[in-house]
Amino acid sequence: MPITAILFDLDGTLTDPKLGITCSIQYALSELGYPSPAVDDLLWCIGPPLQQSFATLLDTSDKVLINRAITLYRDRYATIGLFENSLYPQIVETLETLRAAGYQTLVATSKPQVYAIRIVEHFKLSTLFDGVYGSGLDGTRSEKDALIAHILKTEQLASGNAVMVGDRQHDMIGAKRNRMSAIGITYGYGTVEELTLHGADGLAHSPVEIPTVLLECDRGCVLRHG
């Protein structure tokens, strides 16, 4: 089946959210009286659902404590961290190329949808996407497989006609659980090993490589080793 729709992860794929996410995590931990790791020691938190990250950081399964941490994180992120963010070079040009080629483009992020929409609008990307999908503030659809399933159903897409583009294992796993192709992004926060181990059908080492890798996937998903 030909690929007609592309689902893009947001953090680590379209934008580099390093400062906003890590500083907001540091703020939440500090407010709770926990030590705050250095920014570079929090990079693994970019991509996974916040619930998972705070459970690990706080070494707890206490949902009340985890939810308190998320609330504090959002207090800062919604006002400051959201915009401590930057577009990766060549993203706009790549999206324009894909749109000109007739692909349907959608954002698929574990980030709450209300924040994802604000970020897309902030970077003036709204006209380059047919829809922006994210999780609920209550954590619903924060797991990539559930989010992708929701998008496929809502957009009436067949899994064989869609591909997931993202930089972390959660993107690859979510795609595979929905019987979709997946392209791993190596300029984000996941490693080549992480992406290939979890089922990437192709690898793009820069945004401008995405259209080429997409065509390869359409012809049979020939894995690119960097």
Side-chain angles (χ1 to χ4, degrees):
M1 299 176 71
I3 293 173
T4 60
I6 311 168
L7 279 57
F8 281 94
D9 177 43
L10 181 58
D11 294 338
T13 300
L14 298 174
T15 70
D16 184 353
K18 175 181 175 180
L19 189 61
I21 289 178
T22 55
C23 288
S24 296
I25 289 174
Q26 288 177 327
Y27 170 79
L29 293 174
S30 177
E31 288 295 299
L32 289 172
Y34 283 75
S36 297
V39 165
D40 287 343
D41 292 330
L42 290 170
L43 299 186
W44 61 271
C45 297
I46 300 175
L50 277 175
Q51 291 89 342
Q52 295 179 13
S53 297
F54 276 119
T56 300
L57 289 165
L58 298 170
D59 191 24
T60 185
S61 59
D62 183 344
K63 291 184 178 180
V64 174
L65 179 58
I66 292 170
N67 287 336
R68 176 61 180 151
I70 291 173
T71 297
L72 288 166
Y73 169 94
R74 288 175 176 165
D75 285 346
R76 184 187 186 280
Y77 186 81
T79 55
I80 301 172
L82 197 69
F83 306 114
E84 294 174 323
N85 200 352
S86 61
L87 278 179
Y88 283 111
Q90 303 168 323
I91 280 295
V92 171
E93 294 85 349
T94 298
L95 291 170
E96 289 174 342
T97 296
L98 294 170
R99 298 282 291 182
Y103 289 102
Q104 180 181 4
T105 51
L106 303 157
V107 173
T109 175
S110 294
K111 183 185 298 299
Q113 186 167 327
V114 291
Y115 297 154
I117 290 172
R118 288 177 64 190
I119 291 169
V120 168
E121 291 176 346
H122 173 72
F123 287 113
K124 298 179 172 58
L125 299 178
S126 299
T127 59
L128 297 175
F129 287 102
D130 296 294
V132 178
Y133 290 87
S135 63
L137 288 170
D138 61 356
T140 55
R141 294 191 296 276
S142 61
E143 297 289 346
K144 263 301 169 45
D145 55 340
L147 176 67
I148 292 173
H150 171 71
I151 294 172
L152 294 176
K153 181 178 180 180
T154 303
E155 296 289 335
Q156 298 183 318
L157 291 169
S159 57
N161 292 131
V163 62
M164 180 70 212
V165 178
D167 70 314
R168 298 304 306 271
Q169 61 177 285
H170 310 84
D171 302 305
M172 307 299 105
I173 293 169
K176 294 308 166 182
R177 287 180 177 171
N178 283 281
R179 301 179 297 284
M180 274 175 50
S181 298
I183 294 174
I185 296 301
T186 65
Y187 58 80
Y189 288 91
T191 63
V192 170
E193 291 74 20
E194 174 185 339
L195 294 165
T196 54
L197 177 64
H198 291 93
D201 296 295
L203 297 176
H205 306 298
S206 68
V208 294
E209 288 188 22
I210 294 173
T212 302
V213 179
L214 180 63
L215 290 175
E216 291 179 355
C217 277
D218 226 359
R219 291 196 296 263
C221 291
V222 179
L223 184 63
R224 292 167 62 90
H225 291 284

